[in-house]
Amino acid sequence: MEQQAADVLLATRTALSQASALAVQYSFSILGALILLVIGWTLAGFVSRWAYEGLSRIHGIDETLARFFTNVIRYALLILVFVTVLGQFGVQTASIIAALGAAGLAIGLALQGTLQNIAAGIMLLILRPFRVGEYIETSSVAGTVREIGLFATELRTGDGLYRLAPNSTLWNTPITNFSREPTRQNDLKVSISREDDLELAMETLTGIAKGNPKVLPSPAPSVFIDSLGYRTISVTLRYWAKTGDWWQVSRDMVKRVKLAFDEKDDPAAMRDDSNSAPGKRSNGTASAEKPTRQ
């Protein structure tokens, strides 16, 4: 009995000694892990703020893009800190990194379309083929840009509808931006009879363009014969206007041509072949007969 008691006492002392050694060892590991977490968390926040301030100073970097890169840097640093902390406890970090890589690959394959939209959104925000408030048109969508996000772009159509377009559809197709350039050209075509006074018609069209204050003097308006028909001559009035005034000027010029020919006792039948949405280029067309000199 005495021998058994001595053996139990020895085993208890050995267990307590091992537990004490483990407690000391892991207490230092836990303390080191906590220190690493605090330092890593603070460093990640500092670096992300520094990166955000640096990106914000770069001309052409969008706010959304700056925040996206900032979050990528922050979470990458936090993952690195997490892996380092696990290494403090003797965990094989190589296997963890391999597992994270495999998980990232699986997530990337599952979210291939979403990641494609993010990549397209980044390119749109960097290259800026359009900005908020500009009217654009692609092969599948047209409207005024309301917001450019990392996944999709919000637009408002010409008839007041809301439209959400994935960024990949905007990036992989040609984009026509109707608001980017400060001035735009327009052609107004007038058909007159072969028996009519061609010179008078051309002088009238030139006078109409020069008399409109919203038609730019440079480049100067020009009038030329566009084509010859069996009984008619197609005359084109080409002029330039500011982009913001283009739609109103194009409609106003058709009206002015109609009234000008009416004043010359011309029974012209005016017609407008334009069916474009607001901001979209079109040609006003007028048909006239017998403009005679007074």
Side-chain angles (χ1 to χ4, degrees):
M1 295 293 294
E2 294 180 356
Q3 182 64 33
Q4 292 179 353
D7 292 340
V8 171
L9 181 60
L10 179 61
T12 303
R13 289 179 178 178
T14 302
L16 290 175
S17 177
Q18 292 177 351
S20 176
L22 289 174
V24 172
Q25 178 183 355
Y26 280 102
S27 64
F28 282 109
S29 297
I30 293 173
L31 180 61
L34 292 175
I35 293 174
L36 283 175
L37 284 174
V38 172
I39 294 176
W41 189 275
T42 304
L43 182 63
F46 173 77
V47 172
S48 62
R49 286 192 298 271
W50 175 80
Y52 176 75
E53 292 175 358
L55 290 172
S56 299
R57 294 192 186 98
I58 300 176
H59 178 71
I61 294 295
D62 189 84
E63 175 76 12
T64 304
L65 196 60
R67 292 188 180 277
F68 173 75
F69 283 128
T70 299
N71 289 332
V72 169
I73 294 173
R74 182 171 183 270
Y75 288 117
L77 289 175
L78 290 178
I79 291 174
L80 180 62
V81 170
F82 177 73
V83 172
T84 305
V85 167
L86 290 179
Q88 287 291 110
F89 295 96
V91 178
Q92 296 295 326
T93 57
S95 59
I96 295 178
I97 294 175
L100 289 175
L105 179 61
I107 294 174
L109 293 175
L111 301 177
Q112 184 176 2
T114 302
L115 294 177
Q116 185 178 5
N117 286 327
I118 293 176
I122 292 174
M123 297 305 298
L124 291 175
L125 290 171
I126 291 177
L127 298 180
R128 289 181 174 269
F130 52 82
R131 295 181 175 88
V132 174
E134 294 181 338
Y135 188 92
I136 64 170
E137 182 185 71
T138 68
S139 59
S140 58
V141 66
T144 302
V145 179
R146 298 179 59 181
E147 182 178 350
I148 306 172
L150 284 175
F151 298 95
T153 297
E154 298 180 10
L155 302 102
R156 186 178 187 273
T157 63
D159 51 354
L161 300 178
Y162 171 85
R163 182 161 292 180
L164 185 68
N167 287 333
S168 59
T169 61
L170 299 177
W171 177 249
N172 294 323
T173 186
I175 299 174
T176 302
N177 190 328
F178 292 93
S179 305
R180 178 60 55 88
E181 298 299 327
T183 60
R184 288 181 59 187
Q185 174 192 294
N186 188 43
D187 289 348
L188 192 155
K189 295 184 178 181
V190 178
S191 296
I192 64 174
S193 173
R194 281 180 174 269
E195 290 79 16
D196 294 335
D197 192 331
L198 177 61
E199 293 295 333
L200 176 59
M202 297 178 71
E203 290 175 6
T204 302
L205 292 174
T206 303
I208 293 172
K210 292 183 177 180
N212 191 330
K214 292 188 176 181
V215 172
L216 298 178
S218 179
S222 61
V223 180
F224 54 90
I225 298 175
D226 184 75
S227 62
L228 296 175
Y230 177 71
R231 294 183 177 179
T232 61
I233 301 175
S234 178
V235 180
T236 297
L237 167 62
R238 175 167 294 172
Y239 62 89
W240 289 75
K242 292 183 179 179
T243 300
D245 299 332
W246 185 91
W247 178 254
Q248 179 183 355
V249 173
S250 64
R251 303 301 92 192
D252 182 55
M253 287 294 290
V254 175
K255 178 181 178 181
R256 287 174 180 250
V257 170
K258 168 65 168 65
L259 295 178
F261 280 106
D262 285 348
E263 288 179 359
K264 298 181 181 298
D265 297 328
D266 172 45
M270 307 297 295
R271 63 185 179 87
D272 180 11
D273 291 343
S274 167
N275 290 317
S276 61
K280 185 175 179 181
R281 177 176 176 175
S282 63
N283 294 325
T285 303
S287 175
E289 297 178 358
K290 296 183 180 178
T292 58
R293 294 187 182 271
Q294 294 179 346

